[in-house]
Amino acid sequence: MDQTVLSRLAALKAMSVKDLKVEWEKLLGTAAPNNSRTFLEIRIAYRLQELTYGGPDRETRRMLDLLADEVEGHNRRKHQIADPRNPVVGTKLIREWDGIEHTVTVLKDGFGWQGCKFKSLSAVAREITGTRWNGYRFFGLRERKREEA
C-alpha cells in the first residue's frame, strides 16, 4: 500500500466526527448518513482505497448483487449463484453410509436424492446421517488442507 493512502487512512483516526462527515461529502458526494465514528471511518477508508486501487471487478459486483438479492428474498435476476465446488450438472455422487450406498445427482439448481430435491449437499448429508455435516466434506468434494495433500 502506498504511503499516501496509508497516511490518509491513519489521519482518519485523528479526525473529529465533524471532520469525518466533511471528508465523507468530499469522497462520496452525499451527506454522511449518521454520526457513528466507526462507520464513517470504515466507509471512508474503503472509499479511499477504492479510488486509489480500483473497486471490485464486474464479476465480483454481480456476485455481490446476487447474494444481496438472495438474502433479501428477491428473485429479480434469472441467474443463481453457482458454487464453484459443485460438479457438472448430471454428475452422480456416491457415498456409503452405515452399509448403504447413497447416490446423489447434481442438478442445475440443487441436488437429487431418492426422488427428492435438496438445495444443498449439507441438507442431503443431514437427511442420510441424521446429523449436521458439511455436505462437500461428506461427499469428498472439499479440498484437502495443504499438509494433508
Side-chain angles (χ1 to χ4, degrees), residues 104-130:
V104 174
T105 305
V106 179
L107 306 173
K108 182 179 178 184
D109 55 351
F111 302 91
W113 176 70
Q114 292 189 345
C116 297
K117 186 175 168 186
F118 296 84
K119 288 186 177 183
S120 71
L121 275 177
S122 296
V124 177
R126 186 170 36 253
E127 194 69 28
I128 291 170
T129 66

Side-chain angles (χ1 to χ4, degrees), residues 15-120:
M15 290 183 177
S16 67
V17 171
K18 184 178 179 181
D19 292 337
L20 288 170
K21 290 175 92 168
V22 169
E23 189 70 12
W24 177 286
E25 287 188 37
K26 283 195 301 191
L27 291 171
L28 291 131
T30 63
N34 61 47
N35 291 322
S36 167
R37 172 179 201 79
T38 303
F39 176 82
L40 294 172
E41 283 179 14
I42 290 170
R43 185 63 184 99
I44 291 169
Y46 178 88
R47 183 66 176 151
L48 285 169
Q49 294 173 81
E50 181 181 42
L51 290 171
T52 304
Y53 304 113
D57 62 22
R58 184 173 157 220
E59 184 59 30
T60 301
R61 284 193 312 272
R62 181 184 159 281
M63 180 69 74
L64 291 171
D65 286 343
L66 288 168
L67 285 169
D69 285 352
E70 191 174 294
V71 167
E72 294 170 359
H74 298 284
N75 288 327
R76 292 178 291 201
R77 291 179 176 83
K78 294 177 186 175
H79 305 336
Q80 289 201 315
I81 299 167
D83 191 322
R85 297 174 294 181
N86 286 352
V88 176
V89 172
T91 300
K92 303 279 188 206
L93 304 173
I94 301 170
R95 168 69 197 263
E96 185 178 319
W97 182 259
D98 280 345
I100 300 169
E101 189 175 273
H102 298 273
T103 303
V104 174
T105 305
V106 179
L107 306 173
K108 182 179 178 184
D109 55 351
F111 302 91
W113 176 70
Q114 292 189 345
C116 297
K117 186 175 168 186
F118 296 84
K119 288 186 177 183
S120 71

